[in-house]
Amino acid sequence: MQHIVILISGAGSNMAAIARAAQRERGPEPPPRGLGARVAAVISNRPDAGGLRVAAELGIATAVVDHKTFASREAFDAALMQAIDAHAPALVVLAGFMRVLTPGFVAHYAGRLVNIHPSLLPAFPGLHTHQRAIDEGCKLAGATVHRVTTELDRGDILAQAAVPVLPGDTAEALAARVQTQEHLIYPRAVADLLRTS
Ligand code: GAR
């Protein structure tokens, strides 16, 4: 059984969607598409990330590598790599992990590092994607699963889902609509990658 490690900074709803897909496969009624992997650990850079509790409730090992306790990005990434590599993961899954990674980190996981971003990349890399889509008058918004490169929110696109931007939408309402799609496309994309890697 392959292992994956999921990195989070916040609520962890994408992490939970992937973890539930992994656990369903172990039950008596397999879904049409199982994940084919075990979530070996969920690691957060924030001790207060809500997703840590969610992961623990799902029976998954958790760890915190607090970026605030390191003097440099390099030192933080080195500690993070050590925590990840203890689980020998086939894939490292960024799920709302809000840290810019060093080139050394990205190179270390070349071909094994994926992210989900809350926009239809290459539109709206960076932060505040939903408000920016509303401000630009976009009729569609969405989410993208992509390989991670040293360029922020760039890399081969593996999956996308689009949702309508509705009249009067707030960033929060649009984010919630996008997230329901994220929870569908991310587990599928991870499963596809694990099958083909
Ligand atoms: C998700 O919507 C994800 O697309 C976004 O953070 C949210 C995390 O939610 N990621 C980024 O903005 C990365 N640049 P979650 O913690 O509930 O999965």
Side-chain angles (χ1 to χ4, degrees), residues 10-14 95-96 98 116-118 153 179 182:
S13 67
N14 280 284
M98 305 303 279
I116 189 157
H117 182 75
D153 299 326
Q179 278 217 337
E182 293 189 341

Side-chain angles (χ1 to χ4, degrees), residues 105-118:
F105 184 99
V106 173
H108 184 73
Y109 297 106
R112 291 192 288 156
L113 193 56
V114 290
N115 182 42
I116 189 157
H117 182 75

